[in-house]
């Protein structure tokens, strides 16, 4: 980064930090919102505020569309996503990501897990019949066997010192392990002998440029494409993927790392929906409720279950009845596996479908605790440790049939605790079965603490980090009156004076996901693949689907304010404005106007005096349009929604 722009970036970083710090004291803000007449936004501000809070950020033209339709009518449309035709551009971009539409069982059959690869390697499971899938599995088996052979060889020889320090007598010295020799070299004629290719084609694969090789492979019939790709060593496949079409890149990914395709599809799909979907409120709420009912992707069988969890459990219920959403998550294999309830059983009972070492029964309280603390009542919701134990007893027998093979939920009466239970003062008679758990869900869904906890969580996400109690009370009353109708709770919030309070305009810090997606939307980026964006989420502190704790990612904007993240945001903003984010095309001609016009096109409102001053003092009149855009995207003005 040039020195002058680095100075400007640091100035913007300072502005951001001071901008977020210079908020009114909590008591003063609460007093303002509690006042009988809350100062309201202007009509223009309301349209932009709706876009900033109910979408992942406005695109060029969105503001004019909302104004033309009318803010309240646009909000009502977003509250009924089924009435909005899905964006054909989004559907075309999602089409190659085939795992997004597969059941967990079908996904495992096409992209086998490591356990299944081992079983196929040992001959305990047949190879897939489909040629492409079989080729991918055979590659995975070869890698598995190579690792096994290497592990056996390493065990037979003295341990090689690793990087670090050792002490010999009084002398301390550093040692370095040399890197292992690479077994992957250039493609050889021998590897091509069995391919039904002409000599010219073979020579093209041997000596052509990556672009020429990609064109050659793409010209072949499907079966021959697979054979040609398999003949290339891994480094050459990687270069071929970068030079080829999205279809060729996808084929290479499947043949090279089939077990990673599922996770890549999941993260890329989320980013693509957030960027391109016209059902923006539904996507925002899906992200909200996924975090509310968080599941960690990298926990065993959940690597294959999370896709269905988000698609079939979370998304269809975000504007429905809360109890239906609660039941769907309680019976989801992803949730049962993540919080270990699938292994929970009454003492003395055996778990016939668990692995041999896990068949000894025992009560697991993980789900019972998080169900009350995070999903319904809240930490101050009035439950006790005894309630946690009793709830856990009610959910014994709620399990999964063969989770490693994509099995679904079922109730196992053999492992259920049939004794009498007492939950939050309610007696659940002895002799019950699955209805014990259903009764608990009904008790929790109707509890006043749940109504208030859910209402407050939504208000924190959509209004402010410290929403006014008066609004939360009204939302909770709607929750109770409508039997937990989430659409009506949202409508109560979105028609309130508190939502439109002038103090809330551009007042809440964006999460990393919101920042990245809103920036791409603001410059109308064309996403060919979202892999680098997905990797960037790790750098920014919000790796998708990888929050280990059941709390999920925070809805409080202030929690995302830290210097490392802010600097990473500035770097991303600068790269995006210069068209240097891999997989994302940006039309740089849109930054050819003067600084004021560029700022307004991105922010859809006038830039703050602080941002204008930073640009003017940092670069004077010579600042390039892309740098104005980069600083604007990385500024406090844009980071707030």
């Amino acid at each position: 980064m040039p020195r002058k722009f680095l100075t400007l970036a640091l100035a913007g970083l300072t502005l951001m930090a001071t901008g977020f710090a210079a908020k009114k004291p909590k008591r003063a803000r609460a007093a303002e919102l509690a006042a009988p007449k809350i100062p309201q936004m202007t009509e223009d501000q309301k349209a932009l505020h709706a876009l900033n809070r109910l979408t992942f950020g406005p695109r060029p033209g969105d503001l004019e569309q909302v104004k033309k339709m009318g803010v309240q009518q646009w909000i009502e449309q977003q509250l009924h996503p089924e009435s909005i035709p899905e964006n054909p551009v989004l559907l075309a971009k999602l089409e190659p990501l085939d795992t997004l539409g597969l059941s967990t069982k079908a996904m495992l059959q096409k992209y086998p897990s490591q356990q299944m690869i081992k079983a196929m390697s040992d001959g305990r499971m047949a190879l897939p019949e489909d040629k492409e899938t079989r080729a991918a599995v055979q590659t995975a088996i070869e890698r598995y066997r190579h690792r096994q052979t290497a592990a056996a060889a390493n065990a037979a020889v003295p341990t090689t010192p690793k990087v670090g320090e050792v002490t010999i007598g009084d002398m301390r010295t550093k040692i370095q392990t040399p890197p292992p020799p690479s077994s992957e070299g250039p493609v050889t004629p021998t590897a091509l002998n069995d391919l039904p290719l002409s000599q010219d084609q073979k020579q093209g694969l041997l000596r052509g440029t990556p672009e020429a090789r990609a064109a050659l492979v793409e010209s072949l019939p499907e079966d021959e494409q697979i054979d040609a790709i398999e003949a290339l060593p891994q480094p050459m496949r990687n270069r071929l993927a970068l030079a080829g079409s999205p279809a060729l890149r996808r084929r290479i990914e499947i043949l090279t790392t089939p077990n990673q395709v599922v996770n890549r599809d999941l993260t890329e799909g989320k980013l693509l929906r957030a960027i391109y979907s016209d059902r923006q409120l539904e996507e925002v709420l899906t992200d909200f409720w996924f975090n509310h009912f968080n599941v960690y992707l990298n926990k065993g069988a959940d690597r294959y279950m999370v896709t269905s969890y988000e698609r079939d459990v979370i998304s269809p219920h975000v504007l429905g009845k809360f109890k239906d959403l609660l039941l769907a998550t309680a019976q989801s294999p992803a949730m049962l596996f993540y919080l270990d309830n699938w292994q929970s059983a009454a003492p003395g009972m055996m778990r016939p479908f668990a692995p041999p070492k896990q068949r000894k029964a025992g009560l697991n309280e993980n789900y019972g605790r998080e169900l009350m603390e995070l999903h319904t009542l809240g930490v101050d919701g009035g439950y006790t440790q005894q309630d946690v134990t009793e709830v856990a007893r009610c959910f014994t027998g709620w399990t999964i049939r063969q989770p490693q093979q994509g099995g679904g939920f079922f109730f196992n009466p053999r492992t259920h605790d049939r004794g009498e239970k007492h939950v939050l003062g309610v007696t659940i008679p002895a002799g019950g079965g699955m209805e014990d758990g259903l009764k608990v869900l009904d008790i929790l869904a109707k509890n006043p603490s749940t109504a208030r906890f859910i209402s407050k969580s939504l208000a924190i996400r959509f209004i402010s980090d410290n929403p006014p109690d008066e609004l939360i009370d009204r939302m909770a009353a709607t929750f109770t009156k409508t039997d937990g109708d989430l659409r009506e709770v949202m409508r109560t919030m979105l028609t309130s004076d508190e939502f439109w309070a002038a103090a809330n305009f551009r007042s809440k810090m964006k999460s990393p996901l919101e920042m990245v997606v809103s920036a791409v939307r603001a410059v109308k980026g064309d996403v060919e693949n979202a892999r680098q964006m997905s990797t960037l989420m790790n750098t920014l502190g919000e790796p998708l689907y990888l929050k280990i704790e059941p709390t999920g990612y925070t809805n409080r904007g202030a929690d995302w304010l830290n210097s490392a993240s802010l600097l990473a945001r500035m770097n991303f903003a600068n790269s995006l404005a210069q068209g240097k984010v891999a997989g994302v095309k940006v039309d740089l001609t849109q930054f050819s106007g003067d600084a004021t016009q560029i700022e307004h096109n991105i922010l859809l409102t006038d830039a703050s005096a602080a941002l204008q001053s930073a640009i003017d003092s940092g670069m004077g009149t010579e600042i390039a349009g892309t740098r104005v855009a980069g600083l604007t995207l990385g500024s406090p003005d844009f980071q707030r929604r």
Side-chain angles (χ1 to χ4, degrees):
M1 183 182 296
R3 181 177 299 177
K4 292 180 72 178
F5 187 67
L6 179 60
T7 301
L8 188 57
L10 292 175
L13 200 57
T14 303
L15 278 172
M16 190 182 301
T18 56
F20 281 109
K23 291 183 177 179
K24 296 180 181 179
K26 188 185 299 184
R27 293 182 183 178
R29 292 200 309 277
E32 276 188 0
L33 293 175
K37 293 183 179 180
I38 301 173
Q40 299 287 282
M41 300 174 193
T42 67
E43 291 305 311
D44 284 350
Q45 287 177 330
K46 285 183 178 181
L48 184 54
H49 183 65
L51 284 165
N52 280 330
R53 294 298 175 91
L54 307 184
T55 78
F56 277 103
R59 301 164 299 185
D62 282 354
L63 185 59
E64 290 74 17
Q65 180 184 353
V66 172
K67 288 181 178 180
K68 182 178 180 181
M69 181 182 292
V71 174
Q72 289 302 331
Q73 185 176 346
W74 178 82
I75 289 176
E76 194 61 31
Q77 184 186 58
Q78 288 293 320
L79 285 170
H80 291 275
E82 69 281 357
S83 69
I84 305 173
E86 196 50 278
N87 187 347
V89 175
L90 171 63
L91 297 178
K93 289 182 180 293
L94 290 178
E95 186 176 4
L97 311 181
D98 68 318
T99 66
L100 298 182
L102 296 177
S103 68
T104 302
K105 182 172 290 187
M107 198 184 298
L108 278 161
Q109 291 172 350
K110 188 166 184 179
Y111 304 100
S113 65
Q114 287 299 308
Q115 292 92 328
M116 295 172 71
I117 294 295
K118 183 178 184 300
M120 292 177 192
S121 176
D122 297 342
R124 292 180 288 110
M125 183 179 290
L127 291 172
E129 294 182 2
D130 175 72
K131 180 174 181 177
E132 186 170 14
T133 305
R134 185 171 67 251
V137 169
Q138 286 173 331
T139 298
I141 289 174
E142 290 173 7
R143 291 183 174 184
Y144 167 75
R145 290 174 176 170
H146 178 74
R147 288 195 301 270
Q148 295 297 103
T149 302
N154 289 337
V157 299
T159 303
T160 304
K162 297 181 179 179
V163 176
E165 290 187 342
V166 295
T167 301
I168 303 174
D170 295 329
M171 181 177 66
R172 190 178 294 267
T173 183
K174 290 185 177 181
I175 55 176
Q176 176 77 41
T177 303
S182 174
S183 61
E184 296 177 327
V187 65
T188 63
T190 304
L192 300 175
N193 284 343
D194 295 331
L195 298 184
L197 303 178
S198 68
Q199 287 302 314
D200 288 344
Q201 288 175 322
K202 292 179 181 180
Q203 288 300 314
L205 281 179
L206 278 170
R207 298 186 174 85
T209 64
E211 290 75 15
R213 285 172 174 158
L216 193 158
V217 172
E218 290 177 319
S219 70
L220 300 174
E222 184 175 307
D223 285 356
E224 294 180 17
Q225 279 191 34
I226 297 171
D227 293 335
I229 292 169
E230 285 192 291
L232 302 177
Q234 187 58 49
M236 195 175 292
R237 289 190 196 182
N238 294 339
R239 291 192 291 273
L240 193 69
L242 293 174
S245 66
L248 179 61
R249 180 168 57 247
R250 176 74 174 181
R251 174 151 288 164
I252 292 171
E253 288 177 355
I254 292 172
L255 290 171
T256 304
T257 53
N259 61 327
Q260 295 179 23
V261 168
V262 173
N263 295 358
R264 283 199 293 262
D265 283 3
L266 186 63
T267 55
E268 290 198 36
K270 184 179 186 71
L271 289 165
L272 290 170
R273 286 193 302 271
I275 292 168
Y276 288 102
S277 178
D278 291 329
R279 302 171 180 177
Q280 278 287 295
L281 180 56
E282 182 179 57
E283 293 301 328
V284 169
L285 285 170
T286 297
D287 181 64
F288 169 85
W289 285 112
F290 187 97
N291 282 296
H292 187 88
F293 294 102
N294 184 55
V295 168
Y296 176 54
L297 177 65
N298 277 354
K299 181 172 180 178
D302 272 326
R303 292 185 179 93
Y304 290 83
M305 294 176 177
V306 170
T307 299
S308 174
Y309 178 66
E310 183 175 56
R311 181 191 66 214
D312 304 327
V313 174
I314 300 295
S315 186
H317 295 99
V318 297
L319 287 165
K321 292 295 184 75
F322 176 74
K323 184 179 177 181
D324 293 338
L325 174 58
L326 188 65
L327 175 61
T329 58
Q331 293 184 337
S332 165
M335 181 64 74
L336 289 165
F337 192 87
Y338 172 54
L339 292 180
D340 304 312
N341 199 81
W342 76 286
Q343 299 182 36
S344 185
M349 301 291 181
M350 297 297 290
R351 295 189 294 268
F353 296 103
K357 293 182 180 180
Q358 299 175 359
R359 287 181 183 171
K360 187 176 180 180
L363 188 68
N364 190 298
E365 298 183 353
N366 288 353
Y367 178 68
R369 180 176 294 103
E370 307 308 349
L371 174 64
M372 290 190 285
E373 179 180 333
L374 299 177
H375 299 173
T376 56
L377 305 176
V379 67
D380 299 319
Y383 64 91
T384 66
Q385 174 55 41
Q386 183 60 34
D387 288 318
V388 172
T389 301
E390 296 293 276
V391 168
R393 292 177 60 210
C394 289
F395 282 98
T396 51
W398 288 49
T399 187
I400 316 167
R401 195 185 304 274
Q402 297 177 314
Q404 301 294 348
Q405 297 181 33
F409 165 81
F410 83 107
F411 176 74
N412 184 359
R414 296 173 57 188
T415 60
H416 182 61
D417 185 331
R418 298 174 63 84
E420 183 178 271
K421 296 104 175 170
H422 303 274
V423 176
L424 297 172
V426 177
T427 298
I428 297 177
M434 181 176 169
E435 62 270 19
D436 290 355
L438 295 174
K439 178 64 175 176
V440 169
L441 296 179
D442 188 61
I443 292 170
L444 293 175
K446 294 179 178 178
N447 192 289
S449 292
T450 297
R452 185 168 178 81
F453 180 65
I454 297 304
S455 297
K456 183 175 182 179
S457 297
L458 285 166
I460 289 173
R461 169 62 182 80
F462 288 97
I463 293 185
S464 71
D465 288 0
N466 297 286
D469 288 338
E470 293 84 355
L471 174 61
I472 296 171
D473 290 342
R474 296 201 302 275
M475 293 171 64
T478 299
F479 186 102
T480 301
K481 179 181 177 180
T482 63
D483 193 26
D485 190 322
L486 296 174
R487 181 182 283 109
E488 291 305 316
V489 175
M490 288 291 295
R491 185 177 282 114
T492 296
M493 178 180 66
L494 298 178
T495 57
S496 70
D497 287 345
E498 290 87 348
F499 181 76
W500 302 109
N504 290 332
F505 186 69
R506 286 197 182 279
S507 65
K508 195 168 172 66
M509 178 80 164
K510 293 177 181 178
S511 70
L513 175 62
E514 292 163 347
M515 186 271 165
V516 168
V517 172
S518 65
V520 174
R521 283 171 64 84
V523 300
K524 211 168 184 178
D526 179 19
V527 182
E528 292 184 334
N529 74 80
R531 184 170 303 177
Q532 183 171 342
M533 292 172 60
S534 178
T535 302
L536 178 69
M537 298 306 302
N538 303 346
T539 306
L540 293 175
E542 192 181 3
L544 301 179
Y545 306 102
L546 292 177
K547 180 66 171 175
I548 299 177
E549 298 83 3
T551 53
Y553 287 117
T554 179
N555 289 304
R556 297 184 185 275
D559 292 342
W560 295 110
L561 186 61
N562 62 79
S563 57
S565 176
L566 294 179
L567 184 57
R569 290 175 184 228
M570 287 292 298
N571 289 334
F572 167 72
N574 181 41
S575 296
L576 181 66
Q578 295 185 50
K580 294 182 178 178
V581 176
V584 182
K585 289 185 177 180
V586 177
D587 181 4
L588 302 185
T589 61
Q590 65 185 298
F591 309 134
S592 58
D594 61 35
T596 300
Q597 187 62 48
I598 294 170
E599 295 159 3
H600 194 279
N601 289 345
I602 291 174
L603 300 172
L604 302 182
T605 187
D606 293 335
S608 66
L611 174 57
Q612 294 176 19
S613 176
I615 292 176
D616 293 342
S617 63
M619 298 298 294
T621 59
E622 299 178 359
I623 185 168
T626 55
R627 293 183 178 177
V628 174
L631 184 61
T632 303
L633 291 169
S635 71
D637 293 41
F638 188 80
Q639 296 298 313
R640 294 173 180 155
R641 58 176 179 84

